[in-house]
Amino acid sequence: MAKKQFKAESKRLLEMMINSIYTQKEIFLRELISNASDAIDKMYYKALSDDKLEFNREDYYIKITADKAARTLTITDTGIGMTKEELDNNLGVIAKSGSLSFKAENEAKDGHEIIGQFGVGFYSAFMVADVVTVTSRAFGSDEAHRWQSTGAEGYTIEPAEKATPGTEIVLKIKESTEEEKYDEFLEEYRLKAIVKKYSDFIRYPIKMEVTTHKPKEGEDGEFEEVREEQTVNSMVPIWRKNRSELTDEDYENFYRDKRYGFDKPLKHIHLSVDGAVNYNSILFIPSSTPFDYYTKEYEKGLELYSNGVLIMEKCGDLLPDYFSFVKGMVDSADLSLNISRELLQHDRQLKLIAKNIKNRIKSQLQKLQKDERDKYETFYKAFGRQLKFGVYSDYGMNKEDLQDLLMFYSSKEKKPVTLDEYVSRMPEDQKYIYYAAGESVERIEKLPQTELVADKGYEILYFTDDIDEFAVKMLMNYKEKEFRNVSGGDLGIEADAKDEAEENSHKELFDAMKDVLGDKVKLVRASKRLKSHPVCLSSEGEVTIEMEKTLKAMPGGQDVKADKVLEINVNHDIFKSLNDALSQDKEKLSLYTKLLYNQALLIEGLPVADPVDFANDLCKVMV
């Protein structure tokens, strides 16, 4: 029989497709199953327009059969089949889609959509097969024909025998090499995994003969291997069911089945949207942080389906980075796919979906914060840091979206509070939102710098994450209330005339202490914030002491320093000793100054530059 040649353009396209269009070889099975589903859909549409034709769903299925000995993989469907002319036209001209032309003639009805559009998916079979044989009998015809090809060299079509309408595709699987393991496409477990991954929600049964173990009759504890036919796909996706018929347990089972996480999700969001873009989506807010969440290896994204067929495992464009913890899926028939059904030709539809998803996640988190505070605190403990990164990143572009989701530990409430709750409790005379930064709540509670603000009766927010200060620096204010660090140079609390007089009267002492410390501090001054403690460090300028510690801990150890100020409590007993040393013993003043400076460093959790020198200074005081 004379071999027919592909057209020159088709030949080049076939060679290109086999070698480059598809990024994963396993995709071939998704494409062939999708084509088989289309063939059954066409029977469904035919029944809608032909009163004499009944469409009994139990008669329609897709079957996968692997024969290791013969190295063949067979995909069979009970769909509409193809005539000789259709085999020649649809398979002999690459990128001519029978489904696309059928779709143009038959508008989707009753929720059914034809999957195939481009007519190239079939040829992905040549990525794994040396020979592809298609035997098909069209519905209403007594004749069957066989199409066969070894690839770009061409194809043959000849008469064949087939008892029932439908199509059978036989792939002669390639021999494995050191680089490529084609044997896996003959393994039962691997084929089932590919079906579950890409085609689990094809609306018709996908059947396979699988090996099971059953108890032997009359022999306790003995089992035997049995081959039996099973349906390996779920068929009806949960997202196409009515929310009213689903329980929390159904959603949790779906979360586990899809391996979105090992935890129990805090909340789910089920969306069915009809508008500029139609789509269904189920989103989950996890309760715990994945082990790799704050690493470079973590990959954000939602599963993306088109008509129930998985297109992308992780579509990162559907989620902003600050909501990267969200798990779930999106299914839409309106996506513009390229010929490999893997990438989007343009992303207008995707952007519309992503914007709506972002807004729904935000509103769900706000609702959780308001109505189920314990659950929100569980969520925030796991993912609050990511929200703060979202405020800080992109030059604060998203701060308006995220500021009401933030929470910080409160000095008064002894628990996390929102910025709105803090502002609502502010006394009339309080101008600013005060915060203190440190490694832990316990450390911050002991900070000397908190004394003045606490003494005024003002609430203080405790910042224990290294990102906290950077985030509020980007916020700048909340509801027109500016943020102020209790260790900052200006607390915004008016100084009285007595404070200013003391500052001036002790200028000689503070200048002498500054000379001892040199450029370690910007200046030494009387403290307005200390009540019982003798000394503390404060900072001036945009970089605070906690920010300095964070930046220095980063890779590369950025050489960024805060402008430090050594503050002395003039009402503490130590102050008399300093004045006495100024007038009687300048060497002792130097010793006291260095000790107080190192003491202030230790209070801040900063390292002492020379521990041996510090220890010797302590011994001098003791002697």
Side-chain angles (χ1 to χ4, degrees):
M1 178 181 297
K3 181 175 286 188
K4 303 181 75 170
Q5 294 297 311
F6 292 111
K7 291 184 178 181
E9 303 83 11
S10 295
K11 185 175 180 179
R12 285 196 298 272
L13 180 57
L14 178 56
E15 290 172 341
M16 181 180 70
M17 185 168 55
I18 292 172
N19 295 313
S20 63
I21 285 184
Y22 290 97
T23 56
Q24 294 177 293
K25 286 184 167 56
E26 65 185 25
I27 294 293
F28 83 92
L29 191 55
R30 177 191 74 180
E31 297 299 314
L32 296 182
I33 290 173
S34 296
N35 290 345
S37 176
D38 285 348
I40 299 174
D41 276 338
K42 290 171 185 177
M43 283 299 298
Y44 171 79
Y45 286 118
K46 194 170 187 65
L48 289 179
S49 59
D50 187 347
D51 294 337
K52 296 179 182 178
L53 181 61
E54 290 187 10
F55 186 85
N56 298 315
R57 281 193 171 271
E58 57 269 21
D59 296 333
Y60 296 94
Y61 58 87
I62 301 162
K63 186 174 181 181
I64 300 172
T65 307
D67 185 335
K68 287 186 181 180
R71 294 193 67 79
T72 59
L73 181 65
T74 304
I75 297 94
T76 306
D77 69 68
T78 57
I80 200 165
M82 287 179 279
T83 64
K84 178 183 178 182
E85 291 73 22
E86 287 170 333
L87 282 169
D88 200 9
N89 290 333
N90 294 342
L91 304 188
V93 181
I94 299 175
K96 176 175 173 55
S97 171
S99 292
L100 183 58
S101 59
F102 185 91
K103 190 174 184 180
E105 297 166 7
N106 299 268
E107 290 296 325
K109 301 171 185 176
D110 196 29
H112 282 59
E113 290 283 349
I114 299 293
I115 300 168
Q117 296 182 43
F118 302 104
V120 298
F122 166 78
Y123 300 95
S124 62
F126 288 102
M127 292 192 299
V128 300
D130 288 322
V131 184
V132 177
T133 304
V134 181
T135 303
S136 190
R137 174 180 161 185
F139 176 79
S141 173
D142 295 329
E143 295 181 348
H145 290 84
R146 182 176 294 111
W147 181 99
Q148 190 173 75
S149 176
T150 56
E153 292 78 14
Y155 61 95
T156 60
I157 298 178
E158 61 182 355
E161 296 292 327
K162 194 173 188 307
T164 57
T167 300
E168 176 187 85
I169 302 174
V170 181
L171 310 183
K172 180 72 173 178
I173 300 298
K174 295 178 180 181
E175 295 289 341
S176 290
T177 65
E178 288 187 10
E179 294 79 21
E180 300 289 350
K181 305 301 180 185
Y182 295 104
D183 291 355
E184 65 175 318
F185 300 119
L186 294 168
E187 294 290 347
E188 175 188 304
Y189 77 91
R190 183 72 174 103
L191 295 170
K192 285 177 65 177
I194 296 172
V195 171
K196 292 296 288 183
K197 180 177 179 179
Y198 294 103
S199 308
D200 196 32
F201 304 113
I202 291 290
R203 64 178 63 88
Y204 305 108
I206 301 173
K207 299 181 179 183
M208 283 183 62
E209 275 198 3
V210 299
T211 302
T212 60
H213 293 81
K214 291 190 174 182
K216 286 186 178 179
E217 289 187 15
E219 298 185 36
D220 292 341
E222 294 293 323
F223 291 83
E224 61 180 343
E225 286 191 355
V226 177
R227 297 285 292 172
E228 62 181 19
E229 191 173 85
Q230 288 184 0
T231 297
V232 294
N233 63 320
S234 304
M235 289 185 282
V236 181
I238 184 175
W239 59 82
R240 287 184 182 160
K241 295 180 180 179
N242 291 326
R243 287 188 286 271
S244 60
E245 62 185 86
L246 295 168
T247 65
D248 287 343
E249 187 177 3
D250 291 326
Y251 289 107
E252 289 166 14
N253 289 337
F254 180 71
Y255 183 84
R256 283 193 296 271
D257 290 344
K258 298 301 291 180
R259 294 184 175 87
Y260 291 144
F262 297 103
D263 58 339
K264 181 179 178 180
L266 285 173
K267 278 291 178 183
H268 65 263
I269 307 169
H270 190 160
L271 305 175
S272 297
V273 178
D274 294 320
V277 180
N278 300 319
Y279 68 93
N280 294 294
S281 177
I282 296 180
L283 309 171
F284 294 95
I285 298 172
S287 58
S288 61
T289 315
F291 72 94
D292 62 343
Y293 185 67
Y294 289 109
T295 69
K296 291 181 180 178
E297 286 69 37
Y298 181 81
E299 186 180 3
K300 70 165 183 171
L302 304 176
E303 289 184 324
L304 182 62
Y305 292 81
S306 178
N307 280 316
V309 178
L310 181 66
I311 304 303
M312 295 177 69
E313 282 189 271
K314 298 275 189 180
C315 184
D317 291 337
L318 286 169
L319 289 174
D321 285 345
Y322 51 83
F323 287 157
S324 60
F325 49 82
V326 174
K327 302 291 186 180
M329 50 67 56
V330 170
D331 184 13
S332 175
D334 293 343
L335 300 174
S336 296
L337 306 178
N338 72 359
I339 61 173
S340 66
R341 214 195 307 251
E342 289 179 322
L343 303 172
L344 297 164
Q345 289 178 318
H346 54 84
D347 59 0
R348 184 183 65 83
Q349 303 102 322
L350 204 66
K351 284 182 177 177
L352 287 172
I353 295 173
K355 182 179 180 181
N356 191 30
I357 282 176
K358 179 196 75 172
N359 292 335
R360 293 302 294 267
I361 294 170
K362 178 186 174 183
S363 63
Q364 180 64 68
L365 289 174
Q366 288 177 317
K367 188 174 187 298
L368 195 66
Q369 184 191 80
K370 179 182 177 183
D371 300 336
E372 299 178 82
R373 188 58 167 258
D374 289 345
K375 282 189 176 182
Y376 188 80
E377 289 184 15
T378 297
F379 153 77
Y380 197 79
K381 186 176 181 181
F383 301 107
R385 182 181 177 86
Q386 189 66 16
L387 299 183
K388 297 168 194 173
F389 273 119
V391 169
Y392 177 71
S393 62
D394 296 325
Y395 305 100
M397 185 173 67
N398 304 300
K399 63 183 182 181
E400 299 295 330
D401 282 336
L402 298 174
Q403 60 184 2
D404 286 318
L405 297 176
L406 301 181
M407 296 181 75
F408 301 98
Y409 188 89
S410 162
S411 62
K412 283 193 173 181
E413 298 296 312
K414 304 300 181 185
K415 64 181 182 181
V417 300
T418 67
L419 295 177
D420 182 64
E421 290 164 346
Y422 179 100
V423 170
S424 70
R425 291 193 291 265
M426 286 175 60
E428 285 188 20
D429 64 334
Q430 184 179 341
K431 300 175 183 177
Y432 305 105
I433 300 172
Y434 292 104
Y435 70 86
E439 295 175 9
S440 66
V441 168
E442 293 73 25
R443 287 288 296 269
I444 294 174
E445 284 181 332
K446 295 177 181 178
L447 283 179
Q449 294 93 324
T450 62
E451 287 188 310
L452 175 62
V453 176
D455 191 53
K456 283 281 188 180
Y458 298 158
E459 187 174 2
I460 303 172
L461 298 176
Y462 291 179
F463 288 3
T464 54
D465 260 344
D466 52 15
I467 188 63
D468 287 348
E469 274 198 282
F470 294 92
V472 298
K473 289 281 185 184
M474 190 61 71
L475 278 180
M476 294 188 289
N477 61 73
Y478 178 82
K479 293 191 174 179
E480 301 181 351
K481 300 292 184 181
E482 186 182 331
F483 291 92
R484 287 287 171 96
N485 189 335
V486 297
S487 297
D490 181 11
L491 292 176
I493 298 174
E494 297 297 328
D496 56 31
K498 179 184 175 183
D499 291 331
E500 294 179 1
E502 281 186 339
E503 184 76 38
N504 295 326
S505 65
H506 305 303
K507 185 176 185 303
E508 182 184 357
L509 171 63
F510 295 145
D511 286 347
M513 295 176 73
K514 171 68 173 72
D515 289 340
V516 172
L517 296 175
D519 60 3
K520 293 177 183 177
V521 297
K522 186 176 181 180
L523 57 96
V524 181
R525 69 182 172 206
S527 178
K528 294 179 286 186
R529 74 189 83 223
L530 293 175
K531 297 294 180 181
S532 60
H533 294 82
V535 67
C536 74
L537 285 174
S538 62
S539 61
E540 293 191 346
E542 288 300 309
V543 180
T544 68
I545 293 171
E546 284 301 313
M547 291 171 74
E548 175 189 314
K549 290 195 296 188
T550 299
L551 292 169
K552 282 189 173 181
M554 289 181 175
Q558 300 183 45
D559 189 23
V560 177
K561 292 184 178 180
D563 287 332
K564 300 180 185 68
V565 175
L566 186 68
E567 296 195 3
I568 306 298
N569 184 354
V570 298
N571 297 312
H572 195 278
D573 291 343
I574 194 68
F575 189 67
K576 182 178 184 303
S577 299
L578 288 170
N579 272 315
D580 291 344
L582 175 66
S583 58
Q584 300 171 15
D585 189 342
K586 294 294 176 62
E587 187 175 331
K588 185 174 287 187
L589 176 64
S590 175
L591 175 64
Y592 288 170
T593 299
K594 290 191 292 181
L595 280 173
L596 286 170
Y597 172 70
N598 284 324
Q599 179 183 339
L601 288 177
L602 291 173
I603 290 171
E604 288 297 324
L606 291 168
V608 172
D610 190 338
V612 174
D613 192 41
F614 177 51
N616 289 335
D617 285 345
L618 285 173
C619 291
K620 290 176 185 177
V621 173
M622 294 171 68
V623 172

